[in-house]
Amino acid sequence: MVEVAQPVRPGGGPRACDVLVVGGGPTGLFLAALLAQQGVDVVVLERRPEASTHSRAIGLHPPALAALHTLGLEEPALAEGVAIRRGVARSRGRDLGDLTFEGAWPDRPQVLALPQHRTEALLVGRLAELRPGALQRGWEVAGIHDDAKGVVVDAVRAPAPEVGDRTPGESTRWSARVLFGADGPSSLVREHVGIRTRRRAYPHTYLMGDFADTTGDGAAAVLHVEPGGIVESFPLPGRVRRWVAHTGAALAPSSPELLTEIVQRRTGQVLDVPSCTMTSAFSVRRSIAERMLGGRSVLVGDAAHEISPIGGQGMTLGWLDALAVAPVVEQLLADGPTGPLSAVASFRELEQARLRAALAAARRAELNMAAGRPLPAWAGVVRNGAIRAALGTPLRDHLARAFTMRGL
């Protein structure tokens, strides 16, 4: 645990709020807006001085759309995104079968493709409506310690050389009844509270990029199940398509030319290199916290459970954390108990349930990765036959439920 002892607010004590959220990504913003909607005095500290413009996570599963509905943001999201109602499995230019989501989600039979920066913008706008000034940008956690009634957080200005109006070493102190760590896989809150994680690295790497959509596949997601490794493509707004290719065990250069070459070699599809707006190479790991509770602090989202991005479950999983924890926090604030949250039965039950859900999501992601790895020719024939058979039977509805996070 790290503590910062110097006075940080001349002439006064810490700034106070009911709930302090560290991390202004999708999970932190969603949780803050959810609490603000219930009248909770909530503040978000975000390290980045400006909003990101990166497309990053793009898939909003039906549970995520239901979550957005609670904030009145489902319709605005649907208006901006692309509704994917059909997924196609393809190999060597021939369709193996397809699946739709009506059986799994009759009320929301689609996965919405929307760049993460637009999802965050919707959440930022809603939070500003509910609690103006709640989002405090440019602050990094320097120390955390519990006091008798809650938690005290010391924060310093995050490095931002391009911003010239900040005082070097500027700091502040916040006092809150509950602290949430929504600050991602490298969570400072998790580090300061002293929560360990169970980590596992996988021998899978991927290269992804966004290009002009020249496929003719419309709003369908396509999984090219090829001998050299899977290639996935998903439509995005503005006639753009996200491509993701398995690149083996060694991380590939983040190059639009390389991704174009891989896609053409495996699928025959020619990408328009000059239209590329983003490429990213990434490896895969699983990191799940041993616990989510530490003192008066709670981990949510990637701070509590980083899983493979293959399958696009991470953001939705974080929002499901938020939906589960918000009513528990509201009850805590109403009842007013002090002491560690682990002494409160409702928090212990929530912790166990959400860690189980994270493990289930991680296992689903592992199956997705295993299905997309390169295979010898004979094994590829067997795999394709199994896919064709599964998509031609009622099992397709079970696959649709798994792909869209039913039951998590």
Side-chain angles (χ1 to χ4, degrees):
M1 183 178 296
V2 178
E3 297 187 9
V4 177
Q6 76 271 20
V8 292
R9 199 177 178 210
R15 305 179 188 183
C17 59
D18 286 333
V19 173
L20 187 65
V21 178
V22 176
T27 296
L29 291 169
F30 178 81
L31 174 61
L34 200 63
L35 292 172
Q37 188 166 252
Q38 299 305 316
V40 174
D41 179 13
V42 59
V43 171
V44 180
L45 300 184
E46 165 55 38
R47 186 180 187 278
R48 296 171 299 175
E50 304 292 340
S52 171
T53 58
H54 199 293
S55 56
R56 300 183 66 186
I58 62 170
L60 298 178
H61 296 281
L65 295 176
L68 287 177
H69 183 78
T70 65
L71 293 176
L73 293 178
E74 183 177 13
E75 290 303 319
L78 289 170
E80 285 201 38
V82 176
I84 302 174
R85 296 176 178 268
R86 176 171 172 260
V88 179
R90 188 174 294 164
S91 182
R92 298 180 182 273
R94 299 180 61 182
D95 288 357
L96 302 175
D98 65 1
L99 57 78
T100 57
F101 308 118
E102 288 88 351
W105 299 94
D107 296 334
R108 292 181 173 87
Q110 71 265 323
V111 173
L112 187 71
L114 185 65
Q116 182 174 322
H117 69 89
R118 289 306 309 152
T119 301
E120 290 185 4
L122 291 174
L123 292 169
V124 167
R126 183 63 175 138
L127 180 58
E129 291 174 359
L130 294 166
R131 189 158 289 275
L135 177 58
Q136 299 283 313
R137 290 195 178 275
W139 291 103
E140 182 173 77
V141 170
I144 297 171
H145 56 276
D146 288 358
D147 63 15
K149 297 181 180 180
V151 63
V152 174
V153 174
D154 291 308
V156 297
R157 279 296 188 186
E162 71 281 4
V163 180
D165 61 348
R166 290 185 177 167
T167 303
E170 183 182 359
S171 57
T172 189
R173 173 170 286 172
W174 285 91
S175 175
R177 295 173 67 185
V178 180
L179 171 69
F180 280 96
D183 49 341
S186 301
S187 171
L188 290 175
V189 172
R190 189 181 66 226
E191 177 185 341
H192 291 331
V193 175
I195 296 177
R196 296 183 299 179
T197 60
R198 299 184 180 94
R199 299 176 183 269
R200 179 179 178 184
Y202 295 95
H204 300 282
T205 67
Y206 297 84
L207 180 58
M208 73 177 183
D210 296 346
F211 295 78
D213 190 352
T214 58
T215 63
D217 287 316
V222 182
L223 276 66
H224 297 267
V225 188
E226 307 298 342
I230 198 166
V231 175
E232 307 173 55
S233 76
F234 309 94
L236 283 169
R239 297 182 179 178
V240 173
R241 187 163 280 263
R242 162 73 54 84
W243 292 86
V244 185
H246 190 285
T247 51
L251 197 64
S254 181
S255 160
E257 290 80 11
L258 177 59
L259 181 54
T260 297
E261 188 275 326
I262 292 172
V263 170
Q264 184 172 4
R265 170 162 39 89
R266 294 183 189 172
T267 73
Q269 181 68 48
V270 179
L271 306 186
D272 179 23
V273 173
S275 72
C276 181
T277 56
M278 178 281 296
T279 57
S280 177
F282 60 94
S283 55
V284 180
R285 67 182 182 185
R286 184 180 81 183
S287 178
I288 298 181
E290 292 184 345
R291 50 194 172 91
M292 295 173 67
L293 306 176
R296 301 286 289 189
S297 301
V298 187
L299 302 180
V300 290
D302 286 352
H305 39 67
E306 179 190 12
I307 64 174
S308 167
I310 301 303
Q313 302 177 96
M315 186 160 59
T316 301
L317 196 62
W319 289 1
L320 294 177
D321 288 348
L323 285 169
V325 77
V328 180
V329 171
E330 291 165 31
Q331 189 62 51
L332 178 84
L333 296 176
D335 293 344
T338 58
L341 299 179
S342 58
V344 181
S346 56
F347 274 95
R348 292 197 307 272
E349 293 166 3
L350 171 118
E351 177 184 55
Q352 293 168 6
R354 295 315 305 156
L355 289 178
R356 283 197 302 269
L359 282 171
R363 292 186 185 112
R364 291 181 183 184
E366 289 169 1
L367 291 174
N368 289 336
M369 290 188 295
R373 70 184 188 277
L375 289 177
W378 68 268
V381 171
V382 173
R383 176 176 61 186
N384 290 357
I387 292 173
R388 186 181 291 109
L391 294 179
T393 70
L395 182 59
R396 62 189 287 176
D397 289 335
H398 293 283
L399 293 173
R401 283 191 284 271
F403 288 146
T404 53
M405 303 184 67
R406 192 83 192 187
L408 294 180

